[in-house]
Amino acid sequence: MGHHSLIAWIREEIMSTEVVMRSEVVGYTERLEPNPAMSISEGTLYPTTSDGMYEIHQDPIYEDVPRTVLDERRASDAAEALVTLILSDERYMYLASELMGGEKVFVPHWDRLCRMGRDRRTRRLALHRLGKAPSQLFMEGVRGMAEALKGPLTSLWYLCAGACFYAFIIYLIWPDSKAGRWIAATVKRILAEATRMIYD
């Protein structure tokens, strides 16, 4: 099978779908129950009848309905063939970016590209798809810091976020200014250190 026919097969298989039956809510039935709040207060967690005497409860009705989903077995087999092709010639990495999305079925294939890819660009794209790129790890750290700073330190978090925002604006508008060059150099150092930590 030549590369052209292999790529055509991969394109077809990696987007293959199948119809599965899934249990989903298709409607609700209503039933009335005496409103216990009538003897205590006017408040209730449920909607009530116009006279307030009964609560209206809704019970979901489940039915099996057909849904078209990705055929994970065929997609995974095609992704395996694609990864093998890329590892033999990493110029085909653009196909992985185009065809393999972020679905869970493709995670092992991105991981294999990350571990076995020789080209730095291949590993960088695979890391990005796995959510492990330096910028993603940085943002994850920022989010974790934001969670840790909830409560009395929230104002400090807003101050840091504001400083980052204004630094971005300064760099965007005046990249050749002294402040812009300092901001660019600082960000490059942070990303270089994060990259070194990941690849070492």
Side-chain angles (χ1 to χ4, degrees), residues 106-148:
F106 297 122
V107 168
H109 306 293
W110 285 118
D111 186 60
R112 184 172 169 220
L113 284 171
C114 183
R115 286 184 291 102
M116 301 180 70
R118 294 180 300 277
D119 188 74
R120 186 183 178 97
R121 191 178 60 166
T122 299
R123 294 195 305 272
R124 189 165 58 235
L125 177 59
L127 278 172
H128 182 76
R129 288 293 189 170
L130 290 168
K132 297 178 181 177
S135 59
Q136 292 170 313
L137 293 176
F138 174 74
M139 289 308 297
E140 190 176 314
V142 168
R143 281 193 293 271
M145 187 172 65
E147 288 294 323

Side-chain angles (χ1 to χ4, degrees), residues 7-177:
I7 290 170
W9 176 81
I10 288 170
R11 282 184 186 278
E12 183 179 336
E13 290 292 296
I14 215 163
M15 293 184 288
S16 59
T17 59
E18 62 179 342
V19 176
V20 297
M21 301 300 288
R22 287 189 172 166
S23 180
E24 296 184 6
V25 176
V26 296
Y28 294 89
T29 58
E30 290 187 352
R31 59 186 167 81
L32 300 180
E33 289 195 3
N35 184 1
M38 284 302 292
S39 59
I40 304 169
S41 68
E42 294 299 321
T44 178
L45 297 175
Y46 297 95
T48 61
T49 55
S50 58
D51 59 7
M53 296 296 293
Y54 296 95
E55 293 177 334
I56 303 171
H57 291 256
Q58 291 187 324
D59 297 320
I61 301 170
Y62 290 92
E63 282 185 14
D64 287 339
V65 292
R67 289 287 179 255
T68 301
V69 298
L70 181 71
D71 187 331
E72 293 190 357
R73 184 189 56 78
R74 290 172 63 188
S76 182
D77 291 345
E80 185 66 31
L82 177 59
V83 169
T84 302
L85 175 64
I86 291 168
L87 291 177
S88 69
D89 186 349
E90 295 190 29
R91 290 177 299 174
Y92 289 105
M93 189 60 188
Y94 73 94
L95 285 171
S97 179
E98 176 188 339
L99 299 175
M100 289 201 310
E103 288 88 354
K104 188 183 288 186
V105 68
F106 297 122
V107 168
H109 306 293
W110 285 118
D111 186 60
R112 184 172 169 220
L113 284 171
C114 183
R115 286 184 291 102
M116 301 180 70
R118 294 180 300 277
D119 188 74
R120 186 183 178 97
R121 191 178 60 166
T122 299
R123 294 195 305 272
R124 189 165 58 235
L125 177 59
L127 278 172
H128 182 76
R129 288 293 189 170
L130 290 168
K132 297 178 181 177
S135 59
Q136 292 170 313
L137 293 176
F138 174 74
M139 289 308 297
E140 190 176 314
V142 168
R143 281 193 293 271
M145 187 172 65
E147 288 294 323
L149 292 177
K150 278 185 176 175
L153 297 178
T154 302
S155 57
L156 179 61
W157 158 245
Y158 284 126
L159 181 66
C160 292
C164 291
F165 174 75
Y166 285 114
F168 174 74
I169 295 296
I170 290 169
Y171 177 74
L172 193 66
I173 297 175
W174 302 290
D176 294 326
S177 67

